[in-house]
Amino acid sequence: MTLRCLLNLWRFKYILGDCGSSKTKKILEMMKRSDHHYLLVQSELQLLIQSAKTLGDICKVITSETTSNVEEEVNQFLMNPTHRILTITERAFLRIHDLTLLKNWKIYLDDVVNFHCFKVINTEKKHEVHKQLFTGFTCLDKQYCTAVPIRTFTDDLVSQLSQCFRFVELYDYFLMNNNFFSTKIQDGHEVYRDDCNQLSIMAWVNIQKYIDAGLDMTFIANKFTESLLYRSNPSLFTEVKMSLQQRAVPVSERLKVFYFLAQKRFTSTFRTDNPDALPTIAQYIEQNVTGQYYYTSNRSTKDDMSKILTSGQYISPNSRGMNAYQSYTTAVWLASMKPSPVEVVMCREQFGITGQDLVQAREFENLYQFINRSNLRDYDSQSEIVVYVVDREQAESLGTANIHHIDLGLEDGSTEKLKPGRPEVFNADDKVIRKKFSTFLSNSKRDVSTEQFDKWCTKRNLSEQQIEMLRGMMK
């Protein structure tokens, strides 16, 4: 065996393929022809059920709909298989702790590309979190600590509170911000400080453990090399080629994209500062879009959007693999999935992943997956697909030159524009940041890429409002 073959044995494999290019179909056909044992892991329950139906009697499905204890039943099946193929969800796969059970299985992970999770929990119950939900705290540096989750409880209220942290159990490592637990002496007693009631938690999977266990794992995804999983450690992966379906007309030539914000990015801050903007966009779409269309929005705005977009069909922003909307030629994306500044900093420090990497892998990839629920799934079709998004950056991410701005006057009151006679808009800290950034712009002759801008901002741990302020200086 050559050195190259040996090296590939110690790597993950991946298959690249556009949405709707029959990646999953080809894998299922291969599984049916072969005599090997296969484990198929999929991110969506609906996809898993579709795959199991295609595989038929040679496949065993284990989900929360088939058993009350998925983890136990998966382990029992792997110890004593009754079928040649097992299909489970991403969550069930992450809960397999005895990796020796997977040694003789060929594992295919279909559109499973997330290896970390970031959550923010706002609470004043610091004692409960510190003393009753976690133990064995270890300070890693001045900013972050880790701990061991407590899994059994005698107090029902504490048990309910622990549900907010259950996601940690899926991952191998996690970090929390130290300042949430900081204390002070008050009236002779040690008490928790009240200047930080926001607990930021980032958890991630140690993917190296699967290589160390010698597992045969192949990832299947569109633009896998732009996923956070790949970018965190590209040297762990090697590509496997597969003959897939080709489009009669490229996606870029079939799209006609409209956007509403030419200067501002669509973020949670923008929604808060401009509460009427999204309803105004939704009303325009409801009044001007004819024929059937499907749409999405963030969970926090879903109810409001559904009251306005009565002619549209709502689907989740994470809609990978759905085939029910192939007859639709209009898609409306009213969601934002941009990371918080804290997540940007934590990902950069732990994995070398930039804020723009996060936006690309999360928002732009989900947007691309979303529009590919439409007639774009018909590779022989040449029909034009009309897409509405919120901001210019989202529109440009789709890779077509056929983009058009609809001006609804949503940026007239932009906070990025300094109002005459109101220099006090910028506080002392903002002025210092603006001066440093102005020097950076001058030294760069104002030729600053998105990645350079992101690195400059994350290095200084800026707030989202400050980042938006600096974006205004680049225009």
Side-chain angles (χ1 to χ4, degrees):
M1 186 177 289
T2 65
L3 176 60
R4 180 169 183 171
C5 290
L6 285 170
L7 289 173
N8 285 341
L9 283 176
W10 301 328
R11 287 182 173 184
F12 300 117
K13 291 168 282 188
Y14 67 90
I15 298 171
L16 291 175
D18 199 0
C19 301
S21 61
S22 301
K23 300 185 297 295
T24 303
K25 181 181 178 181
K26 293 270 189 178
I27 293 298
L28 297 182
E29 289 174 350
M30 178 268 296
M31 289 180 175
K32 292 171 76 172
R33 290 194 306 267
S34 171
D35 292 328
H36 291 295
H37 281 74
Y38 292 100
L39 173 60
L40 176 62
V41 184
Q42 294 184 297
S43 58
E44 298 294 325
L45 184 60
Q46 181 181 354
L47 294 180
L48 190 149
I49 294 171
Q50 288 176 5
S51 297
K53 185 177 181 181
T54 300
L55 291 167
D57 294 338
I58 60 174
C59 172
K60 171 72 173 179
V61 182
I62 301 179
T63 71
S64 57
E65 293 187 353
T66 65
T67 179
S68 59
N69 192 327
V70 174
E71 183 176 1
E72 181 179 342
E73 184 154 339
V74 168
N75 286 332
Q76 288 296 324
F77 176 90
L78 292 173
M79 287 188 287
N80 185 24
T82 57
H83 297 68
R84 190 165 57 79
I85 301 173
L86 172 64
T87 60
I88 60 175
T89 63
E90 176 182 4
R91 181 181 180 87
F93 178 74
L94 292 178
R95 294 183 73 90
I96 300 174
H97 300 298
D98 184 358
L99 299 184
T100 61
L101 295 174
L102 299 173
K103 186 69 175 178
N104 297 318
W105 293 77
K106 290 184 178 294
I107 305 166
Y108 282 83
L109 299 101
D110 187 8
D111 265 334
V112 175
V113 294
N114 295 319
F115 78 106
H116 90 282
C117 176
F118 177 81
K119 286 197 176 184
V120 172
I121 298 175
N122 294 297
T123 180
E124 296 181 0
K125 298 184 180 298
K126 299 189 176 190
H127 173 79
E128 289 82 353
V129 176
H130 198 188
K131 302 297 183 181
Q132 295 177 284
L133 298 181
F134 293 93
T135 187
F137 277 80
T138 302
C139 287
L140 303 176
D141 53 34
K142 291 182 179 180
Q143 286 184 288
Y144 307 119
C145 65
T146 189
V148 178
I150 296 173
R151 304 187 189 281
T152 57
F153 306 95
T154 56
D155 187 296
D156 291 341
L157 290 178
V158 176
S159 179
Q160 290 180 14
L161 183 61
S162 73
Q163 298 302 309
C164 296
F165 300 88
R166 284 292 301 276
F167 71 95
V168 170
E169 297 178 9
L170 295 176
Y171 301 91
D172 299 303
Y173 307 116
F174 70 96
L175 299 178
M176 299 182 284
N177 52 310
N178 272 330
N179 59 342
F180 177 83
F181 302 103
S182 62
T183 60
K184 63 181 179 181
I185 301 300
Q186 182 175 302
D187 299 329
H189 300 283
E190 185 179 24
V191 299
Y192 292 102
R193 301 179 65 90
D194 57 6
D195 52 352
C196 178
N197 293 324
Q198 188 175 83
L199 181 61
S200 299
I201 305 178
M202 185 172 73
W204 67 95
V205 176
N206 172 25
I207 60 174
Q208 181 67 44
K209 69 182 181 182
Y210 298 113
I211 290 181
D212 294 342
L215 302 186
D216 185 344
M217 294 174 59
T218 303
F219 293 86
I220 316 164
N222 171 58
K223 298 181 181 177
F224 180 77
T225 53
E226 294 182 11
S227 69
L228 301 181
L229 178 61
Y230 178 87
R231 286 182 179 272
S232 67
N233 200 333
S235 64
L236 294 182
F237 300 88
T238 185
E239 184 177 3
V240 175
K241 298 290 185 181
M242 176 181 282
S243 178
L244 298 171
Q245 189 175 357
Q246 300 299 312
R247 295 182 183 274
V249 179
V251 171
S252 60
E253 295 179 18
R254 291 185 62 186
L255 294 180
K256 185 175 185 179
V257 184
F258 295 95
Y259 66 96
F260 299 90
L261 300 180
Q263 300 176 33
K264 295 283 287 183
R265 295 177 95 207
F266 183 48
T267 63
S268 58
T269 300
F270 178 86
R271 288 202 309 267
T272 301
D273 293 344
N274 303 269
D276 296 329
L278 204 55
T280 300
I281 293 172
Q283 287 165 4
Y284 173 89
I285 290 169
E286 179 67 12
Q287 294 168 6
N288 292 275
V289 175
T290 58
Q292 61 182 8
Y293 67 91
Y294 64 94
Y295 74 94
T296 197
S297 65
N298 291 95
R299 184 182 303 174
S300 60
T301 59
K302 178 183 175 181
D303 290 343
D304 290 339
M305 294 299 97
S306 65
K307 293 174 183 176
I308 301 173
L309 299 171
T310 56
S311 302
Q313 174 64 49
Y314 174 86
I315 68 174
S316 168
N318 187 355
S319 53
R320 295 171 183 265
M322 293 178 62
N323 296 314
Y325 301 95
Q326 292 188 55
S327 62
Y328 286 60
T329 56
T330 303
V332 179
W333 173 275
L334 302 179
S336 171
M337 296 180 173
K338 297 176 179 67
S340 73
V342 176
E343 183 181 9
V344 169
V345 171
M346 293 179 83
C347 281
R348 176 178 56 81
E349 292 178 349
Q350 294 301 317
F351 315 115
I353 292 172
T354 69
Q356 193 57 34
D357 290 337
L358 287 165
V359 173
Q360 173 62 48
R362 187 176 299 163
E363 179 167 295
F364 295 164
E365 176 60 15
N366 275 316
L367 168 57
Y368 185 75
Q369 292 279 348
F370 174 80
I371 68 169
N372 272 280
R373 302 312 104 201
S374 70
N375 187 249
L376 285 175
R377 294 191 77 75
D378 183 350
Y379 272 41
D380 295 325
S381 175
Q382 300 183 29
S383 299
E384 181 178 72
I385 306 300
V386 178
V387 179
Y388 292 87
V389 298
V390 182
D391 66 32
R392 178 171 54 85
E393 193 175 55
Q394 292 174 342
E396 291 175 343
S397 76
L398 295 175
T400 179
N402 192 12
I403 65 174
H404 309 271
H405 179 222
I406 298 174
D407 188 357
L408 300 181
L410 302 176
E411 297 173 292
D412 293 348
S414 169
T415 53
E416 286 184 4
K417 299 175 182 178
L418 185 61
K419 297 178 181 179
R422 294 286 302 277
E424 67 275 9
V425 164
F426 304 118
N427 60 33
D429 290 338
D430 288 345
K431 289 178 180 179
V432 171
I433 293 169
R434 288 174 67 87
K435 184 175 181 180
K436 290 181 179 179
F437 187 67
S438 179
T439 302
F440 172 65
L441 283 176
S442 298
N443 293 339
S444 305
K445 299 181 180 179
R446 299 194 68 83
D447 184 18
V448 177
S449 67
T450 301
E451 184 174 355
Q452 289 172 324
F453 174 79
D454 183 74
K455 286 182 178 179
W456 194 94
C457 292
T458 54
K459 185 177 181 181
R460 288 156 181 81
N461 197 16
L462 303 183
S463 69
E464 190 170 337
Q465 290 88 343
Q466 290 170 327
I467 292 173
E468 291 298 318
M469 172 187 72
L470 298 184
R471 286 188 191 279
M473 295 178 63
M474 295 176 65
K475 298 180 173 107

